[in-house]
Amino acid sequence: MNNSPLRGGRLAQASALFAAPLLWLAAEAVSPKLAADPSEQLAIIGRNPERWYAYTLLLILGTMAFVPAVLALMRLAAGSPRLAAIGGTVLGLGTLVAVGDAMSQLMVWQMVGQGADRRQMVALIDRFDNASGSAVVFAVGGLGFLLGAILLSIGLVRTRRTPAWATLLFAVGIVVQLVGFTASSVAIVLVSSVILLAGMSRQAMSVLAPTRTPEPGRARIDHRGASQLV
């Protein structure tokens, strides 16, 4: 039977597991300083517009690549279907919100352009960040990102399709990344990308590893020792 589409799907998902943290790492490598204060952040962007654009573009691409990476993790956790489905869905929701958040930085990039009134731009960012309608979306996205990663990690540990240490690095990397963005620290987010790259690269290898399926009509022994016919 020709299983090239299946292999192609696995290769694409494995590539996403490797590409997402690598792109995030590249983004932080070129990123200027992050600041919680809008006025300070715009001043930094104004001095480094090219670096901010490169950072934003790499961040967008990495977060987009994380979407198929989530599907790959769901494949690995398929032996625990409930955790795979719930964790993957919640993590996917958080990832989509993160893509929107990353894309919004392209608008911020244009706020330092010629003719832009700095005080008005600062006021606009402040209103956007503190508006309840937008704040609740990003809060739900961040919570979904964290909760989904935890649930999916539990499913991965249970199925044992990938080493436990790789799953641990994945979970820790997600937590550290959220801490880094909350603290507006390039260094912490950079460390999280290194942690994620180490763990997700190993998970990518697990996606590519062949899975053994019992042949029809052959007997197998379940965990109670009873012979069953497949």
Side-chain angles (χ1 to χ4, degrees), residues 24-35 41 44-45 48 50-56 58-59 181 184-187 189-190:
W24 285 337
L25 180 61
E28 300 311 315
V30 302
S31 173
K33 179 183 176 182
L34 299 178
Q41 187 65 78
I44 293 170
I45 298 172
N48 307 275
E50 295 83 6
R51 287 180 62 186
W52 186 261
Y53 177 76
Y55 158 73
T56 301
L58 289 167
L59 187 63
F181 279 119
S184 299
S185 172
V186 174
V189 180
L190 183 66

Side-chain angles (χ1 to χ4, degrees), residues 117-132:
D117 186 294
R118 183 62 57 86
R119 286 179 299 178
Q120 289 182 352
M121 296 301 102
V122 170
L124 177 58
I125 293 176
D126 187 64
R127 289 184 65 177
F128 176 76
D129 289 342
N130 293 293
S132 58

Side-chain angles (χ1 to χ4, degrees), residues 73 76 152-153 155-171 198-207 209:
L73 295 176
L76 291 175
L152 200 51
S153 295
L156 288 167
V157 170
R158 286 186 175 182
T159 56
R160 300 181 182 180
R161 286 281 310 278
T162 193
W165 63 263
T167 299
L168 178 62
L169 288 179
F170 169 74
M200 294 173 68
S201 295
R202 182 58 185 85
Q203 290 172 328
M205 295 172 60
S206 298
V207 170

Side-chain angles (χ1 to χ4, degrees), residues 94-114:
T95 303
L96 293 177
V97 174
V99 171
D101 189 19
M103 285 186 170
S104 71
Q105 300 310 306
L106 291 174
M107 179 183 66
V108 177
W109 168 61
Q110 282 299 299
M111 288 181 174
V112 299
Q114 186 176 5

Side-chain angles (χ1 to χ4, degrees), residues 196-221:
L196 286 169
L197 182 60
M200 294 173 68
S201 295
R202 182 58 185 85
Q203 290 172 328
M205 295 172 60
S206 298
V207 170
L208 293 175
T211 55
R212 294 183 178 180
T213 56
E215 296 179 9
R218 292 191 61 182
R220 64 177 173 84
I221 306 298

